[in-house]
Amino acid sequence: MGRTVPTLTRQLNETEAALQGFRRALRRSDQLLLDALLASARPHLAAITASEMLLPFEAALLAMLLEQSRRVMLLEQEVQHLQQEIALLRRNHEG
Amino acid sequence: MKVECLGWLMDVYLRPDGTPMLWLIDQTGKRWLLRMHLPVTFYVTGGRADLRQAWRYLSSRSVSCERQDRKDLFRGQCPVMAVTLPDPASAQAVYHDLRRNFPLLDYYDADLPLGVRLAGHTGVHLLGQCRFTTDGEQILMLSPLDSPWDLDPSAPSLRILEVELPDDPHLSPPAWLDLRFQTFRYRLSLEPLRAFGANLRALLSRFDPDVILTDYGDTWLFPFLQKVFPEFNLNRDPGMAVAVRPARTLFAYGQVLYRGEQAFLFGRWHIDRRNAALFGEIGLEGAMELARVTQLGVQETARKSPGAGITAMQMLTALQEGVLIPAVKQQAESPRTLSDLIRADRGGMIYQPLVGVYRHVAEIDFASMYPSIMVQANISPETLAHPDAPPGLIPRTLTPLLRKRLALKQRLQTLDPRDERIAGLKARQSALKWLLVVCFGYLGYKNARFGKVESHEKVTALSRELLLQAKELAEEQGFTVLHMYVDSLFVHREGGLCREDVAPLLEAIQARTSIGVTLEGIYRWLVFLPSRQDGRTPVPNRYFGVFEDGTLKVRGLALRRHDTCAFAASVQGEILRILAQAEDPRERVADARVLVQRELQRLSRGQIPPAVLKVAVKLSRAPESFRKPGPAAQAARLLAERGVAVRAGMRLHFWFTRQGVSVDMPAPSMVDVDRYARLVQRAAEEILQPLESPPPVPFQPRLLFVPLPVHPLAPIPEGQ
């Protein structure tokens, strides 16, 4: 039995290949960020497939946003933690 | 004189004159080859005018026809023309003649395997115990005494002759054959030929084996014997010649496969262990179990993919229930919209695992998930639109199979590990597992008689839903789901877990899904590896871990690949055994590195026997179509120069040497040490490198620190 619909991995690979012109015109540092952004959707392939969208790249963008949100959340936690440590150090210093 | 016996039906075949022959062994050990009268009826439907013409055509050839009402799986009762012939061979001839002259008619029950026909006609199944009456030449009465679904079927004691060759005969012609029969051992020299022939004949007639197990029997020994002793008949039935099926290359399951020439015997079995797809795993016991439940001969089940067996089982169910069996598939895929197609045309749920090293991970498996879904949800092509209908043909075929495998598995769990029955039960259980594995794929197979792709898709859709339900239950109970793969999920909980912690989850999944789940085991630790091409991307099927009892489970590593040389595979195996001793694999990486260095030194000193450096590569295409002369193409060229017919799908064996590639075992000093060292290092790094680096996903901390280029503003010129 042959699949009639291309696999999601293949569709995403094709979309990324289609973005090569965009990537090429970016600065090297931005190219690395773009690569990381695209790669961050890959752990969510099963969820993107389950979205059953005609254009799965939309769901892939959502997966990238999800990973960005996770990173923001982690950084916020870290900032909060560092702020608490600074406050503690300041209190110790002042006291 | 009439004799009544109890015995076992070993095989059934047609003689060239069309006579069905039965090979039986009775309780006293006597071997019988008996003719049997087996009339055959096939059915024809179609347009009235064509049907009337076909009727006239058959009447003019003195073939008897009858109008009957038979049950079609999709249309219910329908009128058909029944054509009855005295034996299967004449039925085949009439069917082919009719089909050639009346191609627009539909034909049913026309091309069934002989074993299926016999089981449908008499109720006696292959390898089954039966009662038979004979006059010494012909079967007068045949009746069954057991069922293929009995858990402990009785079986006659078989005489097995094993024939081994010293090496691959395609590379160098062997000087002798080693024969083994019970406690006897013989070494027959091939020179002088006449003496060899006389000795072989004498041994065959002395032992009169039921089974000849060979190495390279299909592809070398039998063709060789036929060439040098054309009058020598290896069959027990003197009325038959050895049947030879030519070699072929085929494309199946996404791979190019090569099946060598096959040599079939009559009145005894020949199995070439080197040319039998599943034989290495299921052995003779497994092949006999497959024959018992599918009605395909043991020589077939040892060599064929189990798909043919599932088809035969469906045919027998239909035959026993009076359902018409179409000669060609008739149900086409229904038209649908693009969005429906996108929604439906998907496989099982495959997650991307969270890459990293985890301790205390439970693996939970759905037991025979797809066939269980097919039975539970009544998935069969004819019940697709009527889910509340009585069980369909597919569930009816699968239910006893599922039950038998489950019962065998349960029996295995109750036996003492030293029990000698374990190996046989495992082989039979494994043979049945393969039937269950392929039964789902056959729902969507383009040529499956009772297949329909929508039923195939419905199974995968349900499986995805069940796995998501299991995931939700696991998360509700506080587990982290590390990975899901079609019918299994890997869960983890901070602070460790034991069997008792997982039991409530198993119960909850079983209660929600109504499909049996088992705990495959608790891993002491488990490592999910990233892709080799891109360390940021997790891949579903590359992991290794050790269960609490020390058993290793490995997927996707070099040692699982057929093209890895035994030396590199053994180094990987040793590394894993060292890691398996620790509570956390990272604690023993240094020890593993010492081992790798030691093995590399042994390699560079020429202390590794070349036999374990042999590489096996499967040719993906015909040798002449290679554009770049890679190692496999070079090996193919060397073999072709020796007159070996190299074809796509063949597995070629060779060594890397200083001169390039050799198909003969080189001297240790000629081995390409650097190349093997690279292979070993790559195999070692596959395991060790991920253990030494921090988990790369999902956050990509490395990329956060990519320095952004600084473009300082040019100083503003003075005076502006």
Side-chain angles (χ1 to χ4, degrees):
Chain A
M1 194 196 76
R3 283 283 190 94
T4 34
V5 178
T7 63
L8 179 72
T9 309
R10 202 175 125 191
Q11 288 184 65
L12 287 188
N13 287 346
E14 282 171 2
T15 310
E16 285 180 18
L19 287 173
Q20 274 313 299
F22 172 74
R23 184 182 184 280
R24 205 174 151 209
L26 293 174
R27 289 189 183 83
R28 179 76 188 130
S29 56
D30 292 344
Q31 283 179 351
L32 291 173
L33 288 174
L34 176 71
D35 292 347
L37 197 60
L38 292 172
S40 69
R42 298 283 171 157
H44 302 286
L45 285 180
I48 300 168
T49 312
S51 71
E52 297 177 354
M53 291 171 87
L54 202 59
L55 300 171
F57 195 66
E58 290 178 4
L61 286 171
L62 213 52
M64 292 173 214
L65 271 178
L66 190 145
E67 284 303 324
Q68 292 301 306
S69 305
R70 189 204 306 275
R71 198 175 293 176
V72 169
M73 191 191 75
L74 282 174
L75 289 172
E76 278 175 355
Q77 281 174 358
E78 198 150 331
V79 168
Q80 205 177 2
H81 175 71
L82 289 173
Q83 279 175 339
Q84 283 167 356
E85 279 199 1
I86 291 168
L88 194 70
L89 282 173
R90 193 170 283 156
R91 269 205 301 277
N92 288 345
H93 184 71
E94 286 168 358
Chain B
M1 195 182 73
K2 267 198 210 172
V3 190
E4 186 177 297
C5 302
L6 295 184
W8 293 268
L9 173 66
M10 305 310 288
D11 210 349
V12 52
Y13 55 88
L14 285 185
R15 276 206 173 148
D17 62 3
T19 318
M21 293 295 294
L22 270 57
W23 166 29
L24 299 121
I25 301 180
D26 73 16
Q27 272 186 323
T28 65
K30 185 175 175 186
R31 274 66 180 159
W32 296 84
L33 288 172
L34 302 169
R35 293 199 307 269
M36 182 169 177
H37 176 59
L38 186 61
V40 166
T41 303
F42 70 89
Y43 306 94
V44 191
T45 64
R48 284 180 67 168
D50 279 346
L51 213 50
R52 195 173 297 132
Q53 271 195 354
W55 188 297
R56 280 199 205 112
Y57 181 80
L58 290 173
S59 304
S60 68
R61 280 159 180 73
S62 312
V63 176
S64 72
C65 305
E66 193 188 347
R67 187 191 185 281
Q68 286 185 8
D69 276 337
R70 306 285 299 181
K71 188 180 165 195
D72 179 277
L73 198 59
F74 298 93
R75 293 180 289 166
Q77 289 296 121
C78 58
V80 294
M81 176 172 81
V83 185
T84 303
L85 281 306
D87 62 78
S90 49
Q92 275 292 300
V94 170
Y95 158 61
H96 287 297
D97 181 33
L98 211 53
R99 208 174 143 178
R100 207 168 34 248
N101 287 294
F102 302 93
L104 295 180
L105 293 175
D106 294 324
Y107 298 88
Y108 300 88
D109 295 17
D111 56 348
L112 311 184
L114 199 56
V116 172
R117 232 184 250 292
L118 183 77
H121 188 71
T122 64
V124 176
H125 61 95
L126 281 180
L127 280 309
Q129 206 177 16
C130 56
R131 187 189 305 278
F132 61 97
T133 313
T134 173
D135 57 6
E137 291 195 348
Q138 176 112 16
I139 288 267
L140 305 172
M141 187 279 296
L142 181 68
S143 60
L145 291 177
D146 67 0
S147 146
W149 307 113
D150 287 349
L151 269 195
D152 296 301
S154 61
S157 158
L158 293 176
R159 304 180 198 139
I160 301 172
L161 175 71
E162 291 181 66
V163 184
E164 287 165 10
L165 299 178
D167 204 355
D168 185 345
H170 301 105
L171 297 180
S172 53
W176 69 81
L177 301 182
D178 282 322
L179 275 71
R180 198 159 54 198
F181 185 86
Q182 294 166 0
T183 53
F184 299 95
R185 302 278 184 282
Y186 298 91
R187 177 162 287 185
L188 298 189
S189 171
L190 268 75
E191 291 293 339
L193 256 182
R194 243 179 101 174
F196 165 70
N199 284 331
L200 190 62
R201 272 191 197 93
L203 287 176
L204 268 184
S205 103
R206 177 178 169 197
F207 297 131
D208 187 23
D210 299 306
V211 188
I212 303 182
L213 275 183
T214 63
D215 288 332
Y216 305 103
D218 278 344
T219 52
W220 184 83
L221 181 62
F222 278 53
F224 168 76
L225 290 174
Q226 288 221 297
K227 194 172 116 194
V228 294
F229 309 118
E231 78 296 346
F232 182 22
N233 193 352
L234 287 142
N235 289 301
R236 189 180 265 143
D237 184 344
M240 298 295 294
V242 176
V244 177
R245 289 191 197 159
R248 64 192 187 117
T249 295
L250 59 150
F251 186 75
Y253 303 107
Q255 299 179 48
V256 178
L257 301 172
Y258 173 77
R259 293 269 173 276
E261 193 174 279
Q262 298 178 347
F264 288 79
L265 295 181
F266 301 93
R268 59 171 55 116
W269 302 325
H270 165 236
I271 298 167
D272 176 352
R273 289 177 283 213
R274 303 267 177 171
N275 198 31
L278 285 178
F279 197 76
E281 183 181 336
I282 64 173
L284 189 59
E285 287 252 25
M288 287 169 66
E289 179 68 23
L290 284 180
R292 198 173 281 127
V293 300
T294 65
Q295 315 314 318
L296 299 178
V298 169
Q299 298 183 93
E300 298 272 0
T301 57
R303 289 176 170 92
K304 270 193 173 169
S305 126
I310 275 290
T311 309
M313 287 177 68
Q314 292 171 6
M315 285 178 176
L316 184 59
T317 308
L319 203 61
Q320 286 168 337
E321 298 178 359
V323 174
L324 292 169
I325 303 163
V328 288
K329 180 177 174 167
Q330 295 175 339
Q331 301 304 311
E333 186 174 352
S334 311
R336 49 188 153 170
T337 63
L338 176 63
S339 54
D340 281 347
L341 188 62
I342 288 173
R343 220 166 281 142
D345 187 22
R346 288 155 49 193
M349 167 73 78
I350 296 179
Y351 241 47
Q352 309 303 112
L354 298 175
V355 171
V357 184
Y358 298 92
R359 293 186 53 194
H360 311 297
V361 178
E363 182 182 346
I364 298 168
D365 286 356
F366 281 90
S368 304
M369 187 193 219
Y370 283 3
S372 298
I373 289 175
M374 285 150 76
V375 170
Q376 289 275 349
N378 191 17
I379 293 179
S380 197
E382 79 279 18
T383 58
L384 263 181
H386 319 280
D388 299 327
L393 182 89
I394 307 290
R396 290 202 299 278
T397 307
L398 291 180
T399 303
L401 189 61
L402 267 172
R403 278 202 199 120
K404 187 172 188 182
R405 175 160 183 252
L406 191 65
L408 286 176
K409 276 182 87 169
Q410 283 167 349
R411 160 115 21 121
L412 272 167
Q413 281 164 1
T414 60
L415 290 180
D416 184 285
R418 291 161 296 181
D419 197 308
E420 60 180 13
R421 289 170 297 176
I422 283 185
L425 284 172
K426 269 191 178 165
R428 288 171 56 205
Q429 184 270 120
S430 178
L432 297 183
K433 180 193 82 182
W434 278 108
L435 280 178
L436 290 170
V437 166
V438 300
C439 71
F440 147 76
Y442 259 63
L443 279 179
Y445 176 49
K446 62 181 180 190
N447 292 331
R449 311 286 175 105
F450 296 109
K452 199 165 183 213
V453 77
E454 288 91 330
S455 48
H456 181 278
E457 291 165 352
K458 194 166 173 189
V459 177
T460 52
L462 284 171
S463 80
R464 293 192 298 269
E465 173 58 30
L466 294 184
L467 211 57
L468 282 178
Q469 287 179 7
K471 178 192 83 97
E472 285 157 6
L473 286 167
E475 286 170 343
E476 276 168 24
Q477 293 195 13
F479 292 97
T480 304
V481 177
L482 296 176
H483 190 28
M484 297 202 284
Y485 196 88
V486 184
D487 62 352
S488 57
L489 68 161
F490 297 79
V491 298
H492 165 73
R493 190 148 63 186
E494 285 302 327
L497 53 84
C498 59
R499 284 176 177 265
E500 290 70 36
D501 297 330
V502 189
L505 177 59
L506 296 183
E507 280 168 26
I509 295 175
Q510 197 148 336
R512 172 88 66 94
T513 62
S514 309
I515 304 259
V517 279
T518 52
L519 179 64
E520 171 85 356
I522 307 260
Y523 291 92
R524 203 188 304 149
W525 51 259
L526 180 64
V527 183
F528 287 112
L529 297 170
S531 154
R532 277 217 294 228
Q533 279 79 35
D534 182 354
R536 294 172 299 199
T537 306
V539 282
N541 212 15
R542 275 188 84 217
Y543 60 87
F544 59 91
V546 59
F547 287 108
E548 281 171 329
D549 65 356
T551 318
L552 281 160
K553 182 163 181 178
V554 178
R555 292 290 180 270
L557 292 187
L559 82 120
R560 297 267 304 184
R561 295 175 56 101
H562 293 295
D563 59 358
T564 305
C565 70
F567 177 52
S570 76
V571 172
Q572 263 201 345
E574 280 303 315
I575 292 173
L576 288 171
R577 270 186 284 281
I578 290 175
L579 301 180
Q581 292 163 9
E583 286 299 313
D584 185 324
R586 289 166 289 204
E587 294 165 6
R588 301 293 300 271
V589 171
D591 296 336
R593 290 222 174 269
V594 171
L595 166 101
V596 176
Q597 283 314 313
R598 198 177 62 222
E599 292 300 313
L600 286 172
Q601 277 171 9
R602 284 181 60 216
L603 178 70
S604 63
R605 288 188 199 130
Q607 292 171 339
I608 306 298
V612 297
L613 298 175
K614 185 166 74 174
V615 179
V617 174
K618 196 155 73 173
L619 267 192
S620 57
R621 52 185 133 155
E624 57 276 10
S625 61
F626 279 96
R627 262 177 275 157
K628 281 188 184 169
Q634 288 178 48
R637 186 176 48 77
L638 289 173
L639 287 170
E641 281 169 9
R642 294 195 184 180
V644 177
V646 183
R647 291 173 58 172
M650 267 186 167
R651 197 174 291 283
L652 305 183
H653 301 269
F654 57 86
W655 285 261
F656 293 112
T657 61
R658 292 167 183 221
Q659 278 81 37
V661 158
S662 167
V663 290
D664 294 314
M665 197 191 310
S669 59
M670 296 308 290
V671 163
D672 184 349
V673 170
D674 292 344
R675 182 136 196 178
Y676 283 107
R678 283 201 300 276
L679 289 177
V680 169
Q681 273 165 339
R682 204 165 81 177
E685 291 310 319
E686 200 175 26
I687 298 175
L688 299 177
Q689 203 263 330
L691 295 178
E692 289 173 328
S693 52
V697 288
F699 307 124
Q700 297 303 316
R702 282 177 300 143
L703 282 165
L704 274 182
F705 305 112
V706 171
L708 291 172
V710 181
H711 301 292
L713 291 173
I716 301 168
E718 281 182 27
Q720 285 193 9

